[in-house]
Amino acid sequence: MDKLIITAALVGAEVTREDTPHLPVTPEEIGKDAFEAFQAGASIAHIHVRDGEGKPTQSRELYEAAIREIRKRCPIIIQVSTGGAVGMSAEERLQPVSLRPEMATLTTGTVNFGEDVFYNPPGEIRRFADTMAHYGVRPEFEIFDSGMVHTALQLVREKRVTGHLHFDFVMGLPGGIPATARHLLLLVDQLPEGATWTVAGIGRHQLPMAALAITLGGHVRVGLEDNLYYRKGELATNARLVERIRRIAGELEREVATPDEARQILRLNPQGREG
Ligand code: KMH
Ligand code: ZN
């Protein structure tokens, strides 16, 4: 098995400071949390940014500031969100891609998102893929339901996405694919030879799905974007969630990848280019 890539989803778009005081909101806080997650064993930081009021935004300037704060502190792989928040336009969501981060997320379908709809029609998906190709940004396919793998592979057939393929299975979101071992295997079975995958279990599903991914040869995403709690009734920090995965992986004799080792596994360039 490859070494384990741990992604820290530090911020997200839905969680608020009222939900948890541990949520990083300013670029400096995001930089500090990325550093702590890196020290704890994360090799990818999946980031969103927030405005002065803590609301989700896809502002290029704020992403630039957050990336600068992360880069000052550590060589973690930076993966920007193009999902943004429900209701944002494609233009808005695509802003951080022009910063040429090493990676960006690419959701390949529409899904009910609790009581909302996370809208990703085929034409927009192609536009997102083409914009990432234009700026040389590696997509991570965000798979909220099984049909989205089909659409991702359609982009590959159309040569809109080339090179190594990496998928993130977001499981247990109300409206998306359930977080069960059976559903995970269904997703993994659809992937082409050589593709890599990560599991992001939502809420209480984070830990059991991570344990499954570690043993099956997948990779793991944890963080406050997906789950606020370390255990029932006890709020987490990003670093503690990452540390726990490193500890469990150690017990299962799966080594954890450094950012450069993750770059090799994902066939990224040896070093971040976004400055
Ligand atoms: N906030 C969700 C609507 C991504 O980062 O690409 C979308 C999301 C996925 O978080
Ligand atoms: Zn996200």
Side-chain angles (χ1 to χ4, degrees):
M1 278 186 200
D2 284 331
K3 289 189 180 180
L4 179 71
I5 298 172
I6 305 176
T7 299
L10 302 172
V11 190
E14 291 79 27
V15 176
T16 67
R17 265 280 167 77
E18 285 70 51
D19 297 325
T20 174
H22 303 301
L23 185 75
V25 170
T26 66
E28 192 185 3
E29 288 167 354
I30 294 169
K32 286 183 175 161
D33 255 42
F35 178 59
E36 286 175 14
F38 160 73
Q39 284 185 311
S43 47
I44 302 180
H46 166 73
I47 60 167
H48 291 240
V49 293
R50 302 296 180 97
D51 67 15
E53 292 173 4
K55 296 208 188 87
T57 168
Q58 288 289 98
S59 151
R60 188 181 189 279
E61 289 67 35
L62 282 167
Y63 270 101
E64 194 170 26
I67 289 170
R68 199 178 315 118
E69 292 293 333
I70 296 172
R71 273 288 162 266
K72 268 197 328 218
R73 294 173 171 87
C74 61
I76 198 166
I77 297 167
I78 299 174
Q79 179 192 82
V80 301
S81 171
T82 69
V86 162
M88 287 179 176
S89 68
E91 280 78 23
E92 238 175 319
R93 286 167 52 183
L94 276 167
Q95 288 179 78
V97 175
S98 65
L99 293 166
R100 299 178 188 271
E102 286 184 276
M103 297 184 83
T105 53
L106 173 52
T107 300
T108 50
T110 295
V111 63
N112 286 347
F113 202 91
E115 291 302 312
D116 296 315
V117 179
F118 181 31
Y119 189 62
N120 295 289
E124 279 189 13
I125 294 168
R126 289 194 174 92
R127 177 174 166 195
F128 276 58
D130 292 349
T131 307
M132 289 181 206
H134 175 77
Y135 287 106
V137 177
R138 172 66 61 77
E140 172 184 273
F141 295 117
E142 299 303 297
I143 305 299
F144 290 77
D145 216 336
S146 63
M148 293 191 193
V149 177
H150 171 87
T151 306
L153 297 179
Q154 181 70 28
L155 296 175
V156 176
R157 279 192 292 277
E158 291 171 6
K159 304 212 175 345
R160 292 186 144 88
V161 174
T162 55
H164 180 76
L165 303 178
H166 183 63
F167 293 77
D168 179 38
F169 301 138
V170 183
M171 304 185 73
L173 176 86
I177 195 162
T180 73
R182 213 185 279 264
H183 287 89
L184 177 58
L185 294 176
L186 173 87
L187 293 173
V188 174
D189 282 350
Q190 292 183 69
L191 300 190
E193 188 72 31
T196 48
W197 54 274
T198 292
V199 177
I202 300 299
R204 66 191 161 81
H205 302 296
Q206 189 167 80
L207 184 57
M209 295 313 290
L212 274 174
I214 295 168
T215 51
L216 288 173
H219 302 280
V220 171
R221 171 169 131 171
V222 291
L224 299 180
E225 171 165 349
D226 302 333
N227 166 40
L228 293 179
Y229 291 98
Y230 190 80
R231 58 172 74 87
K232 198 167 181 205
E234 183 181 332
L235 288 171
T237 63
N238 282 307
R240 280 189 80 204
L241 292 170
V242 173
E243 255 162 34
R244 176 164 62 180
I245 297 303
R246 181 161 70 181
R247 214 167 47 241
I248 294 169
E251 291 295 328
L252 293 168
E253 299 193 349
R254 180 122 186 246
E255 279 184 67
V256 167
T258 63
D260 273 342
E261 288 167 342
R263 287 184 176 96
Q264 277 174 24
I265 294 166
L266 300 173
R267 318 276 192 280
L268 293 168
N269 292 330
Q271 203 175 309
R273 291 155 306 178
E274 75 290 304

